[in-house]
C-alpha cells in the first residue's frame, strides 16, 4: 500500500549529507515492507538482514570494519554489494548491538554504502542505554501507522482526497454529499485504524470481524514483547498501563491518573512502565503547558499529561467495540467517543511531526492540543460532533491572542471569528 514515508526515503537517498538511516516505529506498522518496496524501486539490488530471525548474523560483526562486513554479507547472500546501488537493510537491529555500533563506521569510513537500520523496539533498546549507539553518526526517521490520508489511498478515494486538500487550503466547504461520505469513511477508520495488515484485510473483504481478529493478534504481539524485552519486575505493570490508556479516555478529565491503574497507584511505581510503552512507539504522552512561551517543551509540566494509543483501531479493540458502535454512534458510547476522537487527532498530528501539548486554565477552560505551526503557537480544539461552541478557545484567544485557532469537528470547512474550522476527516492536513 502507498505510504508517504517513501518520499522521505528518496530524500534521504539523494541527500548530500546522507548518513546511515535509523527508522523507528512500533511493531507491525509496515517498516519492513515499506523499506523493501523502496529498495526495489530505488536501487539495483538490496541485502536484507533480520537479526531477530537469523541469530548467526551477529558473528559477521565481530570485526566492525565496513569493508569486512560488506565482504562477509556479499559472500553469505551470494550477491554483490555496490556503493550507491545496493541498499543494505538491518532489520530488528536492536537484537545485534554490534550491528548498531557498526553504523558509526559506515558513516565515517564507508558512507558511499547506503544502510537503513530499523527495529520495532529500537527506542527501548537505545534510550535505555543497553547498546553502544553511534551518536551523531546516523539520521533518525520515525514511522507511524497509516494516517487517514493513506487510508483513503487504500480505499482508492483519490478524488475525494484532492477535494479535501483543496477545501482545507481555501477554507471553502466541501460539497455536502462528499462531506457526509468523508465523515462515514472517518468513522470507519476510527474502528479499522492504520495498521497495514488490518487495513488490507478490511479493504479487501469489508469484514469487521476479521479485522478485529487481526487487531487482536497485533495486541497479543505487543503484550508478548512486554514479556520478552522488559525487566521481569516491570512486565505486569507495563501490561496494566497499556490496557488502561484507552479506559481513561472515557473519563471527563483526561489527565492520566495513576489511581485508575490500581488503587493507591503512584507515579514512582509506574514511570518505568509508561516510559517503556512510549519508547516502543505504541503510546504517546501529551504534556500540559505551564506557560505559553517558547520553547514549548521547556514550559511544559513534567508530571501532568494525557495518554493516547498509537492507533485508534487497537484502542477500539482493547475496549471490544464493534464497527456498528462507531458508525451508528451508539449512545452508550458517548463518554468514550470524545476521548477516542482526541486519540485520533493526536495520531494524525503526530504523524505530521508536530510536537503536541495541552493547556488548561483552572476549571475554566482546556484546549486539547497546542502546537507550533510555522512561526505561530496555535491552539487546537477537538469536538466529536458538529458542536460549534468554542468556550475554551475563546478563553485562550482572549489571553494569548494567537494568529488564529483551529477547531477540528464534524463541521464543514470554514473560517470565521479567527477560528479555522477543519472537519475530522481533514486532521491530516494540519502540518
Amino acid at each position: 500500500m502507498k505510504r508517504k514515508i517513501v518520499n522521505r526515503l528518496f530524500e534521504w537517498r539523494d541527500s548530500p549529507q546522507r548518513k546511515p538511516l535509523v527508522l523507528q516505529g512500533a511493531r507491525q506498522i509496515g517498516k519492513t515492507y515499506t523499506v523493501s518496496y523502496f529498495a526495489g524501486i530505488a536501487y539495483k539490488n538490496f541485502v536484507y538482514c533480520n537479526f531477530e530471525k537469523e541469530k548467526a548474523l551477529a558473528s559477521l560483526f565481530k570485526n566492525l570494519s565496513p569493508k569486512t562486513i560488506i565482504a562477509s554479507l556479499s559472500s553469505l547472500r551470494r550477491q554483490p554489494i555496490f556503493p550507491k546501488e545496493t541498499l543494505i537493510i538491518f532489520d530488528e537491529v536492536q537484537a545485534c548491538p554490534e550491528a548498531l555500533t557498526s553504523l558509526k563506521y559506515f558513516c565515517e569510513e564507508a558512507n558511499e554504502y547506503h544502510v537503513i537500520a530499523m527495529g520495532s523496539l529500537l527506542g527501548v533498546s537505545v534510550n535505555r542505554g543497553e547498546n553502544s549507539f553511534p551518536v551523531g553518526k546516523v539520521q533518525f526517521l520515525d514511522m507511524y501507522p497509516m494516517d487517514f490520508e493513506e487510508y483513503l489511498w487504500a480505499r482508492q478515494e483519490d478524488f475525494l482526497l484532492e477535494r479535501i486538500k483543496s477545501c482545507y487550503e481555501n477554507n471553502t466547504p466541501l460539497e455536502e454529499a462528499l462531506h457526509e461520505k468523508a465523515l462515514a469513511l472517518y468513522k470507519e477508520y476510527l474502528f479499522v485504524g492504520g495498521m497495514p495488515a488490518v487495513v488490507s484485510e478490511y479493504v479487501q473483504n469489508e469484514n469487521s470481524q476479521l479485522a478485529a481478529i487481526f487487531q487482536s493478534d497485533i495486541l497479543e504481539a505487543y503484550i508478548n514483547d512486554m514479556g520478552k524485552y522488559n525487566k521481569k519486575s516491570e512486565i505486569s505493570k507495563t501490561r496494566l498501563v497499556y490496557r488502561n490508556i484507552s479506559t481513561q479516555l472515557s473519563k471527563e478529565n483526561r489527565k492520566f491518573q495513576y489511581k485508575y491503574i490500581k488503587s493507591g497507584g503512584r507515579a514512582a511505581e509506574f514511570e518505568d512502565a509508561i516510559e517503556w510503552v512510549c519508547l516502543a512507539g505504541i503510546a504517546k504522552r501529551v504534556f500540559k503547558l505551564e506557560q505559553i512561551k517558547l520553547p514549548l517543551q521547556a514550559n511544559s509540566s513534567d508530571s501532568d499529561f494525557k495518554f493516547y494509543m498509537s492507533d485508534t483501531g487497537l484502542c477500539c479493540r482493547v475496549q471490544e467495540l464493534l464497527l456498528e458502535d462507531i458508525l451508528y454512534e451508539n449512545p452508550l458510547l458517548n463518554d468514550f467517543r470524545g476521548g477516542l476522537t482526541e486519540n485520533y487527532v493526536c495520531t494524525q498530528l503526530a504523524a505530521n511531526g508536530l510536537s503536541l501539548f495541552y493547556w488548561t486554565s483552572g476549571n475554566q477552560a482546556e484546549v486539547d492540543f497546542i502546537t507550533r505551526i510555522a512561526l505561530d503557537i496555535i491552539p487546537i480544539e477537538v469536538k466529536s460532533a458538529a458542536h460549534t461552541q468554542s468556550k475554551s478557545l475563546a478563553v485562550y484567544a482572549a489571553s494569548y491572542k494567537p494568529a488564529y485557532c483551529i477547531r477540528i469537528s464534524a463541521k464543514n470547512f470554514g473560517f470565521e471569528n479567527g477560528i479555522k474550522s477543519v472537519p475530522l476527516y481533514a486532521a491530516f492536513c494540519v502540518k
Side-chain angles (χ1 to χ4, degrees), residues 2 10 22 36 75 90 129 143 182 223-224 338 366 373 384 387-388 399 404 413 430:
K2 187 177 178 182
F10 272 106
V22 174
S36 298
S75 177
F90 293 163
M143 187 171 177
I223 297 299
N224 289 340
E366 178 176 320
I373 297 178
S384 61
H387 181 71
T388 57
S399 300
Y404 62 96
F413 293 99
V430 181

Side-chain angles (χ1 to χ4, degrees), residues 24-32 50 52-53 91-92 94 119-122 143-145 195-196 217-226 228-229 276 279-282 310-311 314:
Q24 297 186 108
R27 190 177 294 280
Q28 299 193 43
I29 59 170
K31 295 188 300 297
T32 301
N50 187 313
E52 199 170 68
K53 291 182 178 179
D91 203 355
E92 301 297 354
Q94 77 280 350
S120 301
L121 293 165
L122 191 53
M143 187 171 177
Y144 300 90
M195 305 304 284
D217 289 343
I218 294 170
L219 286 172
E220 187 64 29
Y222 286 177
I223 297 299
N224 289 340
D225 280 345
M226 293 171 196
K228 288 167 61 181
Y229 300 99
W276 196 98
L279 292 176
I282 61 178
S310 61
D311 181 70
L314 299 183

